[in-house]
Amino acid sequence: MHCITLLLAVATTTVFGNVIVPPSTWNYPYPWPVQYQNLTSQRLNLSMAYMDVSPNTTSYYTNKTIVLLHGKNFCGATWEDTARRLSTNGYRVIIPDQIGFCKSSKPPSYQFSLQQLAYNTYSLLQSLGIRQAHVLGHSMGGMLATRFALMYPNVTSHLILTNPLGLEDWKALGVPWRPIDLLYKDELATNYTSIRKYQQATYYVNTWKSEYDVWVNMSVSLYRLPGENTTFAWNMALMTDAILTQPIVYELELVKAKTLLLIGMKDSTAIGKAWSPPAVQAKLGKYDVLGKEAAKRIPDAELAEFDDLGHSPQVQNSERYHQALFEWLGRSS
């Protein structure tokens, strides 16, 4: 029934929407072949890039699928380490680039919302014949994974959140709304120095290793992409507005999936913190508190905390992060 509905929706929409937005020309190397799911969304014909990594061993987890959702400052390629470990343990791993990001189409005009991205991801899984999956998201991807689980509880068997955004309502805490034109101006000013400074302060707790540079340079290359850099910057400005105005904190009690929160407690990430008054800044992004509060509110949740790690614990200390992940998967699957 779902397949028929989707086909009819595409056929109907295509009559009115004939603007084709091709996949990105961005040629950053990915660890596995990139495939594309064509979809018609908001009167645009778009292409959603993804990697489909087959399990490379027979194990307890065989026949299970996991979807990895990237954050705003990330791409599918940043999940390589996690995906290899999951594949080795028998998981099929689906790694999409969301519309507007990385190798996917970058529409010049699009209403970004967590609901829209969740629907796009659901459509991808439907096209691949995947009826149920674990969903793991980091940062914005954790926020998106939660929205996906709320919208598609029968598809989401397990939910894994790594320092997700949206665990607090930044607007209600005093963050002033920032016009999208100014957010766009901020994005256009992005460079290696600004990205590294931000990541060093929040992702890695004021430490730096040379291997982190690969992800900084990956992000920088998107802002310098000939013919697409301004569209990408515009998409990122729209996405920032969507994240700021669509918190998940009010719906945590409605999550039905078994849930694991993996929280770097030194994280201080908060959308809008940079342009907020000092008194507001002081209240935001306290993940040593936010993780515990979320774990109490999600009905079937467990919490794994890393007291010395920041926003990207899966990068900063891969071994400890994945040990906690696989220990929980072994007990909960």
Side-chain angles (χ1 to χ4, degrees), residues 51-205:
M51 291 176 284
D52 186 347
V53 185
S54 299
N56 64 13
T57 187
T58 301
S59 78
Y60 174 78
Y61 301 115
T62 299
N63 297 324
K64 295 184 183 295
T65 298
I66 188 163
V67 183
L68 306 183
L69 301 178
H70 63 76
K72 177 180 177 290
N73 299 323
F74 302 84
C75 296
T78 57
W79 280 120
E80 179 178 0
D81 181 25
T82 299
R84 289 193 186 281
R85 293 169 185 262
L86 288 163
S87 175
T88 298
N89 280 275
Y91 280 91
R92 179 185 181 184
V93 188
I94 308 298
I95 317 169
D97 281 346
Q98 296 300 326
I99 293 298
F101 291 80
C102 308
K103 291 185 180 290
S104 290
S105 296
K106 298 175 181 61
S109 178
Y110 201 67
Q111 184 184 34
F112 281 92
S113 69
L114 277 299
Q115 287 86 348
Q116 179 68 70
L117 298 188
Y119 176 78
N120 294 347
T121 303
Y122 172 76
S123 298
L124 171 63
L125 297 184
Q126 290 287 292
S127 74
L128 296 174
I130 297 171
R131 298 184 179 276
Q132 194 171 67
H134 294 53
V135 182
L136 192 169
H138 168 240
S139 190
M140 179 204 79
M143 193 178 186
L144 173 58
T146 306
R147 178 57 57 200
F148 184 97
L150 290 166
M151 291 174 64
Y152 306 108
N154 294 330
V155 178
T156 311
S157 65
H158 298 68
L159 178 64
I160 305 156
L161 306 176
T162 303
N163 286 74
L165 301 182
L167 296 182
E168 56 187 345
D169 186 339
W170 303 292
K171 306 186 310 307
L173 291 171
V175 172
W177 180 76
R178 189 166 176 80
I180 292 173
D181 290 314
L182 291 182
L183 294 175
Y184 176 56
K185 184 178 179 180
D186 295 340
E187 294 288 346
L188 290 175
T190 299
N191 56 37
Y192 173 88
T193 301
S194 65
I195 294 174
R196 173 170 169 166
K197 181 180 179 181
Y198 178 73
Q199 292 191 3
Q200 189 168 3
T202 58
Y203 295 8
Y204 309 118
V205 203

Side-chain angles (χ1 to χ4, degrees), residues 81-82 85 313-323:
D81 181 25
T82 299
R85 293 169 185 262
Q314 75 278 21
V315 177
Q316 191 176 3
N317 196 316
S318 176
E319 293 304 321
R320 285 166 57 198
Y321 173 86
H322 290 103
Q323 181 180 357

Side-chain angles (χ1 to χ4, degrees), residues 250-266:
Y250 301 115
E251 299 168 79
L252 296 179
E253 288 85 357
L254 302 177
V255 174
K256 296 180 179 180
K258 295 179 181 179
T259 302
L260 173 65
L261 289 127
L262 294 155
I263 303 295
M265 297 171 68
K266 294 292 187 182

Side-chain angles (χ1 to χ4, degrees), residues 8-26:
L8 287 174
V10 170
T12 302
T13 307
T14 305
V15 172
F16 300 100
N18 56 6
V19 177
I20 298 174
V21 185
S24 176
T25 59
W26 188 56

